[in-house]
C-alpha cells in the first residue's frame, strides 16, 4: 500500500477545541461595549486570580480560568441567559457555551462557585480555594490594586499597565444602572450576602 493510500485510510485527527478562542468569541458576541475597557477588566481578573491561585497552591485549568474571567460579568448584559440575578445568568451562559466541551480536571462545583461568588465582599464559609481567589481578584481589580492579598505591588501594577482601564469606568456606570433598574436586590444578595 502506498503512503498516500495509507494517509487516506487514516482518519484525520480533529483539531483540539480552543477554549480561550471560544471565550473571546462569546465575549465579543455578548458584550455591547466599544473599546477595550471591559475586555481588559476581564483579562486583569484572570491574571490576578491566576497569581492568587499560584500563591495558594490551587489548581485550575488555565483555559477554564480564562473563560470564567472573561464571562464572569456577561450575565449583566446577556439577553439570552436566564437567572434571577446577573451572577446566575453568567453561570447559565457558561453552562450553555461549554456544553459538551472537555473542561479537563476542573470540577463543575468549582466553576459554579467562581461565577456565583466572585463579587462577594465578605468571605464565604466553605468556599473553595479557587473561587476565593477569584473573589479576591475582583477586589484587587475594583480597588485598583490597593488590596493585593499578598501579591506584590509591582506584579499587580504590571497587569494594570499591560491591560489599561480605558473606558471601564463608563462600563461600570452602565453595569450599576442595569443592576439598579433590573435587580437592585443583587447589590445585597450577591455582593454582600
Amino acid at each position: 500500500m502506498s503512503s498516500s493510500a495509507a494517509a487516506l485510510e487514516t482518519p484525520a485527527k480533529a483539531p483540539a477545541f480552543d477554549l480561550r478562542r471560544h471565550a473571546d468569541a462569546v465575549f465579543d458576541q455578548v458584550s455591547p461595549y466599544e473599546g477595550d475597557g471591559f475586555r481588559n477588566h476581564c483579562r486583569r481578573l484572570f491574571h490576578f486570580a491566576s497569581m492568587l491561585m499560584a500563591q495558594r497552591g490551587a489548581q485550575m485549568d488555565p483555559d477554564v480560568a480564562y473563560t470564567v474571567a472573561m464571562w464572569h460579568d456577561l450575565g449583566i448584559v446577556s439577553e439570552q441567559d436566564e437567572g434571577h440575578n446577573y451572577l446566575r445568568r453568567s453561570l447559565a451562559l457558561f453552562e450553555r457555551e461549554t456544553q459538551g466541551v472537555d473542561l479537563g480536571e476542573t470540577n463543575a462545583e468549582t466553576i459554579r462557585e467562581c461565577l456565583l461568588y466572585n463579587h462577594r465582599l465578605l468571605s464565604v464559609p466553605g468556599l473553595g480555594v479557587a473561587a476565593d481567589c477569584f473573589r479576591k481578584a475582583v477586589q484587587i481589580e475594583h480597588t485598583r490594586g490597593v488590596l493585593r492579598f499578598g501579591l506584590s505591588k509591582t506584579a499587580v501594577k504590571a497587569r494594570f499597565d499591560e491591560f489599561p482601564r480605558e473606558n471601564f469606568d463608563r462600563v461600570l456606570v452602565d453595569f450599576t444602572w442595569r443592576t439598579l433598574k433590573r435587580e437592585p436586590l443583587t447589590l445585597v444578595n450577591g455582593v454582600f450576602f
Side-chain angles (χ1 to χ4, degrees):
M1 179 187 308
S2 73
S3 61
S4 60
L8 291 175
E9 290 179 19
T10 306
K13 235 182 168 183
F17 184 78
D18 189 335
L19 185 56
R20 284 190 194 214
R21 181 176 287 153
H22 182 60
D24 288 335
V26 170
F27 181 92
D28 290 341
Q29 291 168 359
V30 177
S31 173
Y33 306 110
E34 293 182 13
D36 285 329
F38 184 26
R39 178 185 317 281
N40 286 348
H41 159 68
C42 296
R43 288 180 173 163
R44 286 189 303 269
L45 180 66
F46 164 67
H47 286 283
F48 297 148
S50 297
M51 290 188 293
L52 288 167
M53 285 189 281
Q55 174 195 70
R56 295 182 64 187
Q59 298 293 317
M60 185 179 214
D61 181 285
D63 293 340
V64 174
Y66 181 84
T67 304
V68 167
M70 292 307 292
W71 297 352
H72 81 286
D73 280 337
L74 287 182
I76 295 173
V77 294
S78 175
E79 300 295 333
Q80 184 175 353
D81 299 289
E82 295 182 12
H84 72 275
N85 64 35
Y86 70 84
L87 300 160
R88 297 247 174 222
R89 290 190 300 275
S90 292
L91 176 59
L93 180 144
F94 187 97
E95 290 171 342
R96 177 175 53 81
E97 288 292 342
T98 60
Q99 189 172 14
V101 173
D102 179 9
L103 299 176
E105 301 288 319
T106 308
N107 134 348
E109 183 59 22
T110 298
I111 294 167
R112 183 182 169 283
E113 286 182 348
C114 289
L115 289 164
L116 294 181
Y117 298 108
N118 67 78
H119 282 149
R120 287 285 178 95
L121 293 175
L122 304 175
S123 62
V124 178
L127 191 64
V129 177
D132 195 53
C133 289
F134 268 92
R135 185 182 72 80
K136 289 178 177 174
V138 167
Q139 292 180 31
I140 293 170
E141 171 65 15
H142 287 298
T143 64
R144 298 182 189 209
V146 171
L147 293 177
R148 293 187 303 280
F149 302 100
L151 298 181
S152 79
K153 187 175 186 177
T154 303
V156 169
K157 183 182 180 314
R159 295 295 75 78
F160 278 104
D161 291 345
E162 182 179 3
F163 304 105
R165 285 182 67 86
E166 295 189 8
N167 66 332
F168 188 56
D169 289 330
R170 278 186 265 148
V171 172
L172 284 174
V173 168
D174 187 61
F175 278 4
T176 304
W177 175 246
R178 286 173 186 260
T179 303
L180 287 172
K181 191 167 86 173
R182 295 180 185 173
E183 54 191 75
L185 291 179
T186 301
L187 296 177
V188 175
N189 292 327
V191 175
F192 292 104
F193 306 103

